[in-house]
Amino acid sequence: MSSVHFDGYPHVICAQQFSRKWLEEEFLPLTDEMEEIFKLGGCEVLKGKRMFSFFYQPSTRTRISFQMAMEYLGGRTVFATENAREFSSARKLETLRDTFLVINRYRPDAIVIRYDHDIGAKFAADVSRAPVLNAGDREPGQHPTQALLDLRTIFKCRGAIDGLKIAMVGDLDKGRTVRSLSYLLGKFSGIQLYFVSPANTGMGEDIKMYLHKHEVPFAEHTDLRVVAPEVDVIYQTRAQTECGTLLDMSEGYFIVDRTITGLMKKDAIIMHPLPRVDEITTDVDDDKRAVYLTDQIDSGLFARMALLKIILAPDA
Amino acid sequence: MSSVHFDGYPHVICAQQFSRKWLEEEFLPLTDEMEEIFKLGGCEVLKGKRMFSFFYQPSTRTRISFQMAMEYLGGRTVFATENAREFSSARKLETLRDTFLVINRYRPDAIVIRYDHDIGAKFAADVSRAPVLNAGDREPGQHPTQALLDLRTIFKCRGAIDGLKIAMVGDLDKGRTVRSLSYLLGKFSGIQLYFVSPANTGMGEDIKMYLHKHEVPFAEHTDLRVVAPEVDVIYQTRAQTECGTLLDMSEGYFIVDRTITGLMKKDAIIMHPLPRVDEITTDVDDDKRAVYLTDQIDSGLFARMALLKIILAPDA
Amino acid sequence: MSSVHFDGYPHVICAQQFSRKWLEEEFLPLTDEMEEIFKLGGCEVLKGKRMFSFFYQPSTRTRISFQMAMEYLGGRTVFATENAREFSSARKLETLRDTFLVINRYRPDAIVIRYDHDIGAKFAADVSRAPVLNAGDREPGQHPTQALLDLRTIFKCRGAIDGLKIAMVGDLDKGRTVRSLSYLLGKFSGIQLYFVSPANTGMGEDIKMYLHKHEVPFAEHTDLRVVAPEVDVIYQTRAQTECGTLLDMSEGYFIVDRTITGLMKKDAIIMHPLPRVDEITTDVDDDKRAVYLTDQIDSGLFARMALLKIILAPDA
């Protein structure tokens, strides 16, 4: 395997670090192998390997996906916490650095981190001997393993990435998943992006600059009904609110409902990183094009299994 | 085993689902087998089986009982969280549904849930392929595994259930344990119940209706001293307060103390689901009739081992 | 092994319980054996042994150290919680007693506890059949395994304990680590202690009385620059504040920085129990005399491995 450890960098920190070559020739084929292993009930390729799971905020879904990826490869999560947070504000990154220096003394084989402040994973990786896997920056930031699983989901459902028209919908300026996915899509050809959001939560300028540089055309919209008939993928995201209120519908049309599914292509797909609040109505769940509770979850497991396999047993 | 999976329903959600026949012919004998296995240090009958433990609020006692039940049968708890809660109020059940659809993709063999809102376990079970075990609804609600262990405790200490006089004491309207136990006792013969509580926290009308229908006589009291000499079981419950204050003693006599033990029959027993605050004085703990820190805990382990055995290895 | 279980007492509760003979003849040599085992990747001497980890407040560092100690000896942590706390104030110790009676029914081989109120570990041990290991009292209180690892760190770095001059710096009146370490040092000869702190956070009178009784001379200072050239060990502690502010520098000189390292002996060492805030500047970390992120962490693992080995497999 030529690019073990991502060309010498042993950590998974941001979407930019992956080359198209690696994505196509190593990552995607390996996720299929992982799917086979899962269907067979797992394997023992990571037997004896120890993973730490350090979450500075609870995250049931991402944490379980990483732990089950380790489980189905025969490795073990020997320490997990959702309470890693120690101080409320000051000197947080210095404390994170100390923490990673300390836990490396126990010789873990991998450390999964979700940090709640700044870009902690990058900072942690800089002092870590053990490979660090970023399980999600604080928003806005990145969520690289989500981007990889999203790419894998699209590839499996559509058979290719090149040439696709993809709508990203919702609170785009804070959404780490759409930000990371944009970085990955920028490596492919013929992609057209549609950003559908209220004006004040549009996609960040840094991502737009990146897309310009990589010659990925994008357009900004406020009505998903206009975009739905055009696209191959609708990637809906959660309004970044804890109160469950809808996006302000007076500003446009941002939810995926039966109206939208009625407008979509037959072979398009609907994705969502979860948790969902109101932005996809539940009567859409049984639509065959809705993959957020099925294929997208499975691809999450297979993508993380693939990453752990590459990092912890590259030659096995 | 005739009624594997409780007559086709693979989940453990509420006390009503268990038939007297199943309780007497399968459950209670199996708990004795489980006791033998525990005394021998455990077995491997659930080797390779994976349990998830999803608690929407911390609960040391119930969580450890389930996990140790799995442990002593050779199975494993591969994911546990006490922080499953995600949103504070709106759309909670929709989110729970999504969560259970997601975690089922990882193919767990069983999922234990304690939910903090409404009757989440039932709702979760409706979408779950993996068997769901209810580790306690929000109060008032149910706690079916507690009812099963309570029944087993009574049966082991008294040799039978039929014909017993049982006092339930304390905050009965909110107490999920006494509610679930009442449902089970309604299936037996000759039971007489004594509800001892302040007037404003009496047993709920739904339970009283159920008891009427099953011809279980009950009486309501405010003085445990009157009831104590009559009964075979005193089932004390915790005042549903976090501040540790006593029940209002001006309204009656509701605590179990030396006065009460002095009045009780020699072969009666004292039970409590724990945690205890003040409602049983600690000088009662060494009384041989007090089983809340001994037999009742053990029966909890054996009852949960029996359930897991029935669900995960019915033919082994 | 003559003093298995610390002369008949099977728990690890406070620093006073260890004799100099045990420390020198059993504990310290055993930590070296543990270091060898760790370097070889672990052993199976505790195979089948089950540890519970009960934390009444989160503590990533101490919890991971205990769990990895069990891991590298082949044992398992079968239940861990950082949410053991149940009631906010009243009846806490009674509830703790009930909890320990309950969890002992599951026959754990050891129970690690960090309590958040009073001296819970001692109280828990009084009712526990399983050995209890105190992972830190609420401050002020004790942290005996920290004291043991600190002693081991000093011994390994300096070759002896007798005759050393040791500065303890910072918030001494609340610091459980310096309190426990003082108890251990009182058992050795020729020790001289320097307490460097603001006047209002000086070392507690109980410790001073103990040192007088054991003829350990100590002096109190407010300027670490005066003390630094004299001592063999600087044991810095964290200001007991969550806000990350420095100790009031107008009252003296209490931080370890390049000024201090410039004054220190070449073979002195700098220790800290972590987490660190500002009291050691990060530019000191690469000084060879700084052991708080390296040897001190390692000694923590080896010390806890040694304790678990002594308690759970004394004859293996």
Side-chain angles (χ1 to χ4, degrees):
Chain A
M1 192 168 282
S2 57
S3 67
V4 165
H5 284 190
F6 321 113
D7 296 320
Y9 188 66
H11 311 289
V12 175
I13 302 302
C14 62
Q16 296 95 308
Q17 76 181 82
F18 307 111
S19 68
R20 173 166 181 161
K21 182 175 162 60
W22 179 84
L23 290 167
E24 289 190 320
E25 295 180 14
E26 297 194 33
F27 172 71
L28 289 172
L30 191 57
T31 59
D32 289 343
E33 283 182 44
M34 298 298 111
E35 183 164 3
E36 289 309 307
I37 287 171
F38 174 70
K39 285 179 179 166
L40 294 170
C43 70
E44 295 287 316
V45 70
L46 296 190
K47 189 175 169 65
K49 300 294 185 182
R50 297 173 174 118
M51 188 174 84
F52 289 175
S53 179
F54 268 75
F55 279 64
Y56 283 72
Q57 54 187 19
S59 172
T60 301
R61 249 173 305 269
T62 302
R63 191 160 75 86
I64 203 171
S65 181
F66 271 108
Q67 288 190 210
M68 293 309 290
M70 199 67 181
E71 169 81 15
Y72 278 110
L73 291 172
R76 289 184 306 126
T77 304
V78 295
F79 185 83
T81 183
E82 297 172 310
N83 289 314
R85 196 167 59 155
E86 200 144 18
F87 300 123
S88 50
S89 58
R91 306 287 178 261
K92 282 185 73 84
L93 285 174
E94 283 85 346
T95 301
L96 176 65
R97 179 179 167 275
D98 285 1
T99 298
F100 268 70
L101 287 171
V102 166
I103 63 182
N104 266 278
R105 303 301 294 189
Y106 302 109
R107 299 195 186 166
D109 296 294
I111 307 173
V112 176
I113 177 176
R114 167 164 291 193
Y115 197 58
D116 64 338
H117 191 72
D118 298 334
I119 48 165
K122 172 74 170 62
F123 198 86
D126 287 347
V127 300
S128 183
R129 183 173 61 179
V132 171
L133 294 101
N134 181 3
D137 290 326
R138 184 187 182 184
E139 297 185 307
Q142 285 217 27
H143 197 342
T145 64
Q146 178 78 40
L148 290 171
L149 79 88
D150 289 339
L151 190 82
R152 201 264 180 182
T153 305
I154 297 170
F155 183 77
K156 290 302 283 186
C157 294
R158 295 294 316 220
I161 304 293
D162 286 338
L164 292 181
K165 297 180 179 181
I166 298 172
M168 296 179 177
V169 190
D171 202 353
L172 304 179
D173 66 337
K174 297 201 201 70
R176 59 193 168 193
T177 61
V178 286
R179 292 170 55 81
S180 286
L181 182 57
S182 295
Y183 279 120
L184 281 194
L185 293 172
K187 299 173 188 292
F188 290 82
S189 303
I191 301 290
Q192 293 183 53
L193 295 180
Y194 300 73
F195 298 139
V196 186
S197 74
N200 63 337
T201 61
M203 181 58 84
E205 289 303 316
D206 54 340
I207 300 293
K208 291 182 186 174
M209 294 264 293
Y210 174 89
L211 295 171
H212 272 305
K213 185 176 157 196
H214 288 74
E215 299 179 0
V216 178
F218 61 84
E220 297 186 290
H221 292 266
T222 56
D223 192 337
L224 185 54
R225 291 169 299 191
V226 173
V227 171
E230 304 292 322
V231 297
D232 304 299
V233 177
I234 291 181
Y235 194 104
Q236 179 64 289
T237 66
R238 178 166 68 93
Q240 295 299 323
T241 166
E242 295 279 308
C243 60
T245 52
L246 281 168
L247 288 166
D248 185 350
M249 295 296 281
S250 69
E251 289 201 42
Y253 205 98
F254 308 107
I255 66 168
V256 176
D257 55 16
R258 288 282 182 95
T259 299
I260 298 300
T261 55
L263 295 165
M264 288 172 64
K265 294 182 188 174
K266 283 191 180 168
D267 59 353
I269 60 171
I270 306 167
M271 300 172 69
H272 192 298
L274 304 183
R276 174 223 337 232
V277 184
D278 288 313
E279 59 281 344
I280 300 178
T281 57
T282 53
D283 57 7
V284 170
D285 294 357
D286 291 330
D287 191 298
K288 285 184 179 174
R289 295 167 294 183
V291 301
Y292 42 87
L293 292 169
T294 50
D295 303 66
Q296 200 174 353
I297 305 304
D298 298 347
S299 285
L301 179 63
F302 309 145
R304 288 171 181 127
M305 288 172 72
L307 288 171
L308 289 169
K309 166 74 174 61
I310 289 169
I311 290 171
L312 299 180
D315 302 317
Chain B
M1 192 167 284
S2 58
S3 67
V4 166
H5 284 191
F6 321 112
D7 296 321
Y9 188 66
H11 311 290
V12 176
I13 302 302
C14 61
Q16 297 95 307
Q17 76 182 84
F18 307 111
S19 68
R20 174 168 179 157
K21 182 176 162 58
W22 179 83
L23 291 168
E24 289 189 321
E25 296 180 14
E26 299 195 33
F27 172 71
L28 289 173
L30 191 56
T31 60
D32 289 344
E33 284 183 43
M34 297 298 111
E35 183 165 4
E36 289 309 309
I37 286 172
F38 174 71
K39 285 179 178 168
L40 293 170
C43 70
E44 296 287 316
V45 71
L46 297 190
K47 189 174 167 67
K49 300 293 185 183
R50 297 174 174 116
M51 188 173 84
F52 289 175
S53 178
F54 268 75
F55 279 64
Y56 284 71
Q57 54 187 20
S59 172
T60 301
R61 249 173 306 268
T62 303
R63 191 159 75 86
I64 203 171
S65 181
F66 270 109
Q67 290 190 210
M68 292 310 290
M70 198 68 181
E71 169 81 15
Y72 277 110
L73 290 171
R76 288 185 305 126
T77 304
V78 294
F79 186 82
T81 183
E82 298 171 310
N83 288 315
R85 194 167 62 153
E86 200 143 20
F87 299 125
S88 49
S89 56
R91 305 286 178 263
K92 282 185 73 83
L93 285 174
E94 284 86 345
T95 302
L96 176 65
R97 177 178 169 277
D98 286 1
T99 298
F100 268 71
L101 286 171
V102 165
I103 65 180
N104 266 279
R105 304 301 295 187
Y106 302 109
R107 301 198 184 162
D109 296 294
I111 307 172
V112 176
I113 177 176
R114 167 164 291 192
Y115 197 57
D116 63 338
H117 191 71
D118 297 335
I119 48 164
K122 172 75 171 62
F123 198 88
D126 287 346
V127 300
S128 183
R129 182 173 61 179
V132 171
L133 295 101
N134 182 3
D137 291 326
R138 185 186 181 180
E139 298 187 306
Q142 284 215 27
H143 197 342
T145 64
Q146 178 77 40
L148 290 172
L149 80 87
D150 289 339
L151 190 82
R152 200 262 180 185
T153 305
I154 297 170
F155 183 77
K156 290 300 285 184
C157 293
R158 295 294 315 220
I161 304 293
D162 287 339
L164 292 181
K165 298 181 179 180
I166 299 172
M168 296 178 178
V169 190
D171 201 353
L172 304 179
D173 67 336
K174 296 200 202 70
R176 59 193 169 193
T177 61
V178 286
R179 292 172 55 83
S180 286
L181 182 56
S182 295
Y183 280 120
L184 280 196
L185 293 173
K187 298 173 188 292
F188 290 82
S189 303
I191 302 287
Q192 294 184 52
L193 295 181
Y194 299 74
F195 297 140
V196 187
S197 74
N200 64 337
T201 61
M203 181 58 84
E205 289 302 316
D206 54 341
I207 300 293
K208 290 183 187 173
M209 294 264 292
Y210 174 89
L211 294 172
H212 272 304
K213 184 176 159 195
H214 288 75
E215 299 179 0
V216 178
F218 61 84
E220 297 185 291
H221 292 267
T222 56
D223 192 337
L224 185 55
R225 291 168 300 190
V226 173
V227 171
E230 303 292 322
V231 297
D232 304 300
V233 176
I234 292 181
Y235 194 104
Q236 179 63 288
T237 66
R238 178 165 67 92
Q240 295 299 324
T241 166
E242 295 278 309
C243 61
T245 53
L246 281 168
L247 288 165
D248 186 352
M249 296 296 282
S250 69
E251 289 201 41
Y253 204 100
F254 307 107
I255 65 168
V256 176
D257 55 16
R258 289 278 182 98
T259 298
I260 297 300
T261 56
L263 294 165
M264 289 174 64
K265 293 182 189 174
K266 284 190 180 167
D267 59 352
I269 59 171
I270 306 166
M271 301 171 69
H272 191 299
L274 304 185
R276 171 213 354 217
V277 184
D278 287 314
E279 61 280 345
I280 299 178
T281 56
T282 53
D283 56 7
V284 170
D285 294 357
D286 291 330
D287 191 298
K288 284 183 179 175
R289 295 167 293 184
V291 301
Y292 42 86
L293 292 169
T294 51
D295 304 65
Q296 200 174 353
I297 304 305
D298 298 347
S299 285
L301 179 64
F302 309 145
R304 289 172 181 126
M305 287 172 71
L307 288 171
L308 289 169
K309 167 73 174 63
I310 289 169
I311 291 171
L312 298 180
D315 303 318
Chain C
M1 192 168 284
S2 58
S3 67
V4 165
H5 284 189
F6 321 114
D7 296 320
Y9 188 67
H11 312 290
V12 176
I13 303 301
C14 61
Q16 297 94 306
Q17 75 182 84
F18 307 111
S19 68
R20 173 166 180 160
K21 182 175 161 60
W22 179 84
L23 291 167
E24 289 189 321
E25 296 180 13
E26 298 194 33
F27 172 71
L28 290 173
L30 191 57
T31 59
D32 288 344
E33 283 182 42
M34 297 298 111
E35 182 164 4
E36 290 309 308
I37 287 171
F38 174 72
K39 285 179 179 168
L40 294 169
C43 69
E44 296 287 316
V45 71
L46 296 191
K47 189 174 168 69
K49 299 294 184 183
R50 298 175 173 115
M51 188 175 84
F52 289 176
S53 178
F54 268 75
F55 278 64
Y56 284 72
Q57 54 186 19
S59 171
T60 302
R61 250 173 305 269
T62 302
R63 190 160 75 87
I64 203 171
S65 181
F66 271 108
Q67 289 189 210
M68 293 309 290
M70 198 68 181
E71 169 81 14
Y72 278 109
L73 290 171
R76 289 185 306 125
T77 304
V78 294
F79 185 83
T81 184
E82 297 171 311
N83 288 316
R85 196 168 59 155
E86 201 144 19
F87 299 125
S88 49
S89 58
R91 305 288 178 261
K92 281 185 74 84
L93 284 175
E94 284 86 345
T95 300
L96 176 65
R97 179 180 168 273
D98 286 1
T99 298
F100 268 71
L101 287 170
V102 165
I103 63 181
N104 266 279
R105 303 302 293 189
Y106 302 109
R107 300 197 184 162
D109 296 294
I111 308 173
V112 176
I113 178 177
R114 168 164 292 193
Y115 197 57
D116 63 339
H117 193 72
D118 299 334
I119 47 165
K122 173 73 172 62
F123 198 86
D126 286 347
V127 299
S128 182
R129 183 174 60 180
V132 171
L133 294 100
N134 182 3
D137 291 326
R138 185 187 182 182
E139 297 185 305
Q142 285 216 29
H143 196 343
T145 63
Q146 178 78 40
L148 290 171
L149 79 87
D150 289 339
L151 190 82
R152 200 263 180 182
T153 306
I154 298 170
F155 183 77
K156 290 301 284 184
C157 292
R158 295 293 317 221
I161 305 294
D162 287 339
L164 292 180
K165 298 181 179 180
I166 299 172
M168 296 179 176
V169 190
D171 202 352
L172 304 180
D173 66 336
K174 297 202 201 68
R176 58 193 168 194
T177 61
V178 285
R179 293 170 54 82
S180 286
L181 181 57
S182 295
Y183 279 120
L184 280 196
L185 293 173
K187 298 173 189 291
F188 290 82
S189 303
I191 302 287
Q192 294 184 52
L193 296 179
Y194 300 73
F195 298 140
V196 186
S197 74
N200 63 338
T201 60
M203 180 58 83
E205 289 302 316
D206 55 340
I207 300 293
K208 290 182 188 175
M209 294 263 292
Y210 174 89
L211 295 172
H212 272 304
K213 185 177 157 195
H214 288 74
E215 299 179 0
V216 177
F218 61 85
E220 298 186 290
H221 292 266
T222 55
D223 192 337
L224 184 55
R225 291 169 299 191
V226 173
V227 171
E230 304 292 323
V231 297
D232 305 299
V233 177
I234 291 181
Y235 194 105
Q236 178 64 288
T237 66
R238 179 166 67 94
Q240 295 298 324
T241 166
E242 295 280 308
C243 60
T245 53
L246 281 168
L247 289 165
D248 186 350
M249 295 296 280
S250 70
E251 288 201 43
Y253 205 99
F254 308 108
I255 65 168
V256 176
D257 55 16
R258 289 281 182 97
T259 299
I260 297 300
T261 55
L263 294 167
M264 289 174 63
K265 293 182 188 175
K266 283 191 180 167
D267 58 353
I269 60 171
I270 306 166
M271 300 172 68
H272 191 298
L274 305 183
R276 172 215 351 220
V277 184
D278 287 314
E279 60 281 344
I280 299 178
T281 57
T282 52
D283 57 7
V284 170
D285 295 356
D286 290 330
D287 191 298
K288 285 183 179 173
R289 294 166 295 183
V291 301
Y292 43 86
L293 292 168
T294 50
D295 303 66
Q296 201 176 351
I297 304 305
D298 297 348
S299 286
L301 179 63
F302 309 145
R304 289 171 180 126
M305 288 173 71
L307 288 171
L308 289 169
K309 166 74 175 60
I310 289 169
I311 290 171
L312 299 180
D315 302 318

